[in-house]
Amino acid sequence: MKRRSIAVFLNVFFVAVLYGQSYRDIRGTVCDRASGAPLAYATVSVVGTQPLLGAVADSMGRFVVPHVPVGRWDVLVGFVGYEPVIVKDVILSSAREAYLEVRMSESASALGEVVVKPSVDKSRPLNAMALGSARMLSVEEAGRYAGGFDDPARLASAFAGTAGGIGNNGIVVRGNSPKFLQWRLEGVEIPNPNHFADVTIFGGGAMTAFSAHLLGNSDFLTGTFPAEYGNALSGVFDMNLRHGNSSRHEHTFRLGVIGIDFASEGPLRRGGNASYIFNYRYSTLALMAPALPENAGAIRYQDLSFKLNFPTRRAGVFSLWGIGWTDRSGQEAGGDSLLWEYARDRQEMRQKLRSAAFGANHSVEIGGVGRLKTSLAATTAALDFLTESLDDALRLRPYSRIENMQQSIVFSAFLHRKFGARHVNRTGIRITGLRYDLLLENAPGSQLVADESGFAMLTSASSSSSFTLSEAWTLNLGIHAQRFGLNGRYAVEPRAGVRRKFGHGRALGLSYGLHSRMEMLGYYFTRSATGERMNRNLDFTRAHHFVVTYDRDLSGDRHLRIEPYIQLLYSVPVTAGGSFSFINLQREPFAPYRLENTGRGRNFGVDVTFEQYMSRGYYYTCTASLFDSRYRAGDGVWRHSRYDRNFVFNLLAGKEWMLGRGGQNVFSAGIRLTYQGGERHSPVDEAASQRAEDVVYDENAAFAEQYPPSLVGHFTVGYKINGKGSAHEFSLNMINATMSREYYGHLYNLKTRRIDVDQETMMIPNVSYRIEF
């Protein structure tokens, strides 16, 4: 009887799901790429529908194409005087409406002079001031890329010019340390937004602290940033949260091996334009503990993110947004001294991290020719990290302690102004107040590295203009200035770029930028043995960026980009007469050295991207990065940097099949393969290590050796069933399916009295079920 009931239930379920034809709306906004102003009465049509379905945007640039059959569609957007845009392969689900943010470029030619063909709007970033080394990460890509693991940072590491790892999501951009990357959310620089941020690697963590489900169209920049970006040296991940659906409520629940995930969005009131969206995740790795390194099963984390959007007809658009996350991890010391192989086996660790960022944004049109964007945000990041070690009598003794709390208040105001079709200007200011309470103690009671609390200001101003000299030529000029109030250090940074189009689909650009970044606050307060604050006057680390960008559309769906570049770093903190340099920092919270800004660095290489946009149900991206990264420390010797891998090759591909009655259901498969050179490391001084019974490196030959290359493979498969009012998806995501090794350094083996390589082979599977309703 029980089996019969189950069979009847499954039969009814699949009949309802497989044979019900579903329809949903396609909605979104259309705006000017340069100024962000809405384009009222733009036309929108869904290509291939019979009869042709379409809509006209309202006075605020919003559109709704109702009652579109569930499936895959191309959307064409047009507006008089602007280049038409095609959004390819929009997937419409039975339980979720599609939301598009379309940005259009004004044509510099007089109306009727030329016939403009529709362009696929994916090779260009959202920021119109970026002429090179910038890539848009779209909402559609965030949901499709293999190996993303619901983590925007891992998605970005598939782009040309980047390298990543398995156990952390730190992004190495063109041979630079991950700590040189700036993270932005809703236009505001935020603390490292990753779970276990700066614990495993500075600038990265385990995974981004908000779901890719909330990610809107965002930009990832790898060099020569426009003038509005300050305090960034290697790259900028300029992320946006998408708007919630303002017409109907939509919910998503996902249950997987690594945890649960719930999201909801919809109108704040019926018939209004205001909307909400939020996402909550809780994860524990306890179920995966047998497949993970020792003690990894004790890792727990959770995060909450949201955005409220309030558009008005006359007062502009108001929005409230926020993300918050907590992390907890630990390690128990081994109670049997006979089993101690390494010094860490006798250590007990407890980590607690709490971080958040909240903001209020306002955007309003001014006089029909400009747009003023203002923002007020607050961020906080707290880390408590206590390490104790068992002595020979098995008593816990203090080993190290970190208690860091940093908070900031950020105000910014930018005016986007159009002076006709040929000149656009962006001018603004940003004021950041930094409050800090820092304690770094190595061997508590004997070496106090930093103990400081106080307040400092980082202020900046910028102005940039884009001139469309003709249909073929574009010139961008800008200036950025910033000042750090703690020590009075300042930087004035010119930016410039020029781009030449050659017919339809070919362009050559040249761009330059001077960039700088302040250090992590703890390093400014490092104390000497006598209590002197040795590094309070540290200057910004600075870099000249030079980039040549060649773009070519090989067809409507294929794009080629080639980018040679040179980066010249200077004013890098180093130690006098030694090989230590901040260029190589990985996870060294204790650096009790007297530093000077005399170091240099040099990165040069070429990035190549060949991309097939999603079309006819498939996509692929091939990238190749060949580069050389060197540094010069206080001893005046040029060496390989830690992150000089020399090469990174990526293949990212996926295919979607529309199945079931009416082609409503989707079976998808994706793969990502990365072949990259190993990180550099210094050779071990065997004799010194034996005397110290600890690993001692030969710093005279710093980073002269390299770990082996690695082939890392990720894949994902999923099946989505679109039913009446709901959709069900079953998926398998596999990180490091090729079982590639990851190297972390060396350990002194207390039993064998030899040096062992610290390495792990970690494969992370996630089987999940998701329902949308």
Side-chain angles (χ1 to χ4, degrees):
M1 180 67 183
K2 184 176 180 181
R3 291 181 181 177
R4 183 180 302 172
S5 299
I6 294 175
V8 170
F9 168 77
L10 292 176
N11 183 61
V12 171
F13 171 79
F14 281 106
V15 167
V17 166
L18 294 175
Y19 294 99
Q21 178 64 48
S22 298
Y23 300 87
R24 278 293 175 262
D25 299 345
I26 297 178
R27 61 179 60 246
T29 59
V30 185
C31 67
D32 181 275
R33 174 181 292 277
S35 68
L39 297 181
Y41 314 118
T43 60
V44 181
S45 58
V46 182
V47 180
T49 53
Q50 295 294 335
L52 184 65
L53 300 177
V56 176
D58 64 14
S59 61
M60 300 178 68
R62 300 172 306 195
F63 67 87
V64 179
V65 183
H67 208 64
V68 181
V70 167
R72 181 189 294 118
W73 302 101
D74 295 345
V75 178
L76 175 64
V77 183
F79 189 70
V80 175
Y82 283 73
E83 300 174 8
V85 171
I86 285 185
V87 183
K88 301 285 289 186
D89 278 272
V90 176
I91 290 288
L92 197 58
S93 164
S94 63
R96 184 171 300 280
E97 296 179 342
Y99 184 84
L100 308 178
E101 296 177 354
V102 182
R103 299 184 177 225
M104 306 186 71
S105 299
E106 190 170 3
S107 175
S109 298
L111 189 65
E113 283 186 11
V114 294
V115 176
V116 182
K117 296 181 179 179
S119 60
V120 179
D121 192 26
K122 285 202 174 181
S123 63
R124 303 177 65 180
L126 300 178
N127 194 317
M129 297 290 179
L131 295 183
S133 292
R135 171 70 154 78
M136 182 183 74
L137 176 62
S138 69
V139 177
E140 294 83 8
E141 291 167 331
R144 285 179 172 134
Y145 278 3
F149 220 62
D150 200 24
D151 182 357
R154 294 183 187 272
L155 296 172
S157 67
F159 295 156
T162 66
I166 302 168
N168 67 76
N169 65 358
I171 305 175
V172 176
V173 180
R174 291 178 171 171
N176 290 287
S177 168
K179 83 181 192 72
F180 291 146
L181 176 73
Q182 181 188 108
W183 298 84
R184 278 198 178 198
L185 185 63
E186 293 290 313
V188 176
E189 181 179 359
I190 60 174
N192 182 348
N194 288 292
H195 288 291
F196 301 100
D198 298 328
V199 173
T200 57
I201 189 169
F202 286 164
M207 66 184 303
T208 310
F210 66 90
S211 170
H213 176 80
L214 258 70
L215 189 69
N217 291 341
S218 304
D219 279 345
F220 189 80
L221 300 94
T222 56
T224 59
F225 327 124
E228 65 197 79
Y229 297 107
N231 198 35
L233 203 68
S234 68
V236 178
F237 199 173
D238 193 357
M239 301 175 291
N240 296 296
L241 300 177
R242 66 182 181 87
H243 301 318
N245 193 327
S246 61
S247 65
R248 66 187 299 268
H249 294 280
E250 298 173 342
H251 316 287
T252 301
F253 176 77
R254 178 168 56 188
L255 175 65
V257 173
I258 66 171
I260 61 172
D261 184 329
F262 178 73
S264 179
E265 61 183 286
L268 288 172
R269 66 179 181 87
R270 187 180 299 274
N273 295 318
S275 65
Y276 75 89
I277 183 171
F278 78 88
N279 180 269
Y280 171 76
R281 297 187 300 182
Y282 175 82
S283 181
T284 174
L285 301 185
L287 292 177
M288 299 173 54
L292 298 176
E294 188 178 359
N295 297 306
I299 293 175
R300 289 176 291 165
Y301 60 86
Q302 56 185 325
D303 56 63
L304 174 69
S305 47
F306 70 89
K307 185 175 183 179
L308 307 177
N309 195 54
F310 305 92
T312 67
R313 289 196 173 274
R314 296 183 179 179
V317 179
F318 298 84
S319 63
L320 300 174
W321 56 270
I323 59 174
W325 64 100
T326 63
D327 308 316
R328 187 182 295 269
S329 181
Q331 171 184 305
E332 297 292 332
D336 187 349
S337 61
L338 296 178
L339 299 179
W340 294 345
E341 281 191 286
Y342 309 112
R344 68 185 182 188
D345 294 335
R346 64 198 301 170
Q347 293 179 348
E348 186 162 302
M349 302 180 188
R350 292 187 293 275
Q351 301 174 24
K352 292 190 296 183
L353 298 92
R354 303 170 302 280
S355 300
F358 302 94
N361 293 2
H362 178 232
S363 175
V364 62
E365 192 171 356
I366 297 178
V369 294
R371 197 163 192 84
L372 178 64
K373 294 185 177 181
T374 55
S375 174
L376 180 64
T379 73
T380 182
L383 167 63
D384 297 328
F385 192 168
L386 176 65
T387 303
E388 298 174 298
S389 182
L390 290 172
D391 61 16
D392 292 337
L394 300 182
R395 292 173 299 189
L396 283 172
R397 300 292 188 184
Y399 185 83
S400 66
R401 180 167 57 140
I402 302 175
E403 295 180 3
N404 286 356
M405 190 277 294
Q406 298 181 38
Q407 298 174 328
S408 67
I409 299 291
V410 185
F411 170 78
S412 66
F414 281 83
L415 177 63
H416 300 228
R417 176 72 187 273
K418 288 190 71 172
F419 299 89
R422 296 183 179 272
H423 180 200
V424 179
N425 177 268
R426 294 184 185 179
T427 298
I429 61 170
R430 180 170 282 107
I431 303 172
T432 303
L434 302 167
R435 181 177 176 269
Y436 51 87
D437 188 358
L438 311 173
L439 174 64
L440 292 90
E441 209 171 2
N442 202 10
S446 62
Q447 185 182 13
L448 184 65
V449 179
D451 184 7
E452 202 81 22
S453 61
F455 184 83
M457 299 281 288
L458 178 67
T459 56
S460 65
S462 66
S463 183
S464 57
S465 284
S466 179
F467 303 93
T468 304
L469 304 179
S470 68
E471 193 69 25
W473 287 93
T474 301
L475 173 67
N476 287 2
L477 297 173
I479 189 78
H480 179 274
Q482 64 181 9
R483 182 181 184 275
F484 187 31
L486 181 71
N487 54 23
R489 297 291 187 173
Y490 67 92
V492 179
E493 305 162 356
R495 317 283 171 89
V498 63
R499 180 181 175 90
R500 169 75 159 91
K501 292 182 180 179
F502 300 90
H504 182 71
R506 289 186 299 153
L508 181 66
L510 175 65
S511 53
Y512 162 78
L514 175 60
H515 309 282
S516 63
R517 183 165 175 82
M518 61 178 282
E519 299 302 331
M520 300 172 70
L521 279 174
Y523 292 117
Y524 292 94
F525 304 111
T526 301
R527 295 188 180 189
S528 66
T530 61
E532 176 194 1
R533 294 169 179 81
M534 299 182 291
N535 302 316
R536 190 179 180 91
N537 290 318
L538 273 181
D539 199 356
F540 297 107
T541 300
R542 306 168 189 247
H544 297 283
H545 288 194
F546 304 87
V547 178
V548 177
T549 304
Y550 175 73
D551 284 298
R552 181 166 185 177
D553 291 328
L554 301 177
S555 68
D557 302 320
R558 295 185 180 90
H559 184 79
L560 172 68
R561 169 170 286 186
I562 302 174
E563 281 196 321
Y565 64 87
I566 298 175
Q567 298 178 346
L568 304 176
L569 287 73
Y570 67 101
S571 187
V572 181
V574 297
T575 55
S579 61
F580 177 84
S581 170
F582 269 31
I583 281 178
N584 301 307
L585 278 185
Q586 190 175 43
R587 53 181 186 273
E588 297 87 353
F590 304 103
Y593 313 123
R594 187 180 299 275
L595 301 168
E596 56 184 36
N597 290 99
T598 59
R600 291 186 174 271
R602 181 182 66 227
N603 305 320
F604 65 89
V606 60
D607 297 332
V608 180
T609 301
F610 178 62
E611 189 167 12
Q612 161 73 56
Y613 304 131
M614 172 63 83
S615 180
R616 298 178 296 279
Y618 73 95
Y619 69 91
Y620 60 82
T621 300
C622 304
T623 69
S625 298
L626 305 175
F627 60 96
D628 185 84
S629 177
R630 309 263 177 158
Y631 80 101
R632 192 185 75 184
D635 59 4
V637 178
W638 282 96
R639 298 180 173 91
H640 295 281
S641 76
R642 179 194 298 273
Y643 303 102
D644 185 18
R645 293 179 180 267
N646 294 130
F647 64 88
V648 180
F649 301 105
N650 274 302
L651 170 63
L652 187 69
K655 171 68 176 173
E656 295 175 351
W657 293 268
M658 307 302 292
L659 305 175
R661 185 177 182 181
Q664 291 192 123
N665 305 327
V666 183
F667 178 77
S668 60
I671 188 172
R672 175 183 168 187
L673 293 174
T674 300
Y675 183 62
Q676 61 186 9
E679 281 191 357
R680 303 275 175 172
H681 66 92
S682 302
V684 175
D685 187 329
E686 295 281 353
S689 298
Q690 291 297 337
R691 291 192 297 269
E693 294 188 345
D694 197 1
V695 178
V696 178
Y697 291 102
D698 180 3
E699 297 302 338
N700 292 321
F703 303 105
E705 297 183 356
Q706 189 174 18
Y707 293 116
S710 61
L711 176 64
V712 183
H714 315 305
F715 75 84
T716 179
V717 293
Y719 185 62
K720 187 170 188 177
I721 305 170
N722 285 301
K724 284 265 188 193
S726 66
H728 307 262
E729 183 174 10
F730 305 86
S731 63
L732 168 64
N733 293 275
M734 190 74 71
I735 299 293
N736 193 25
T738 51
M739 298 291 287
S740 177
R741 294 180 180 178
E742 193 159 43
Y743 297 90
Y744 300 101
H746 299 82
L747 298 169
Y748 184 82
N749 193 310
L750 299 171
K751 287 187 173 182
T752 65
R753 302 184 62 82
R754 301 180 64 178
I755 304 298
D756 294 341
V757 177
D758 186 10
Q759 59 183 341
E760 291 176 350
T761 302
M762 181 171 54
M763 181 174 64
I764 308 175
N766 185 29
V767 179
S768 65
Y769 163 73
R770 182 170 70 175
I771 180 172
E772 299 174 350
F773 57 98

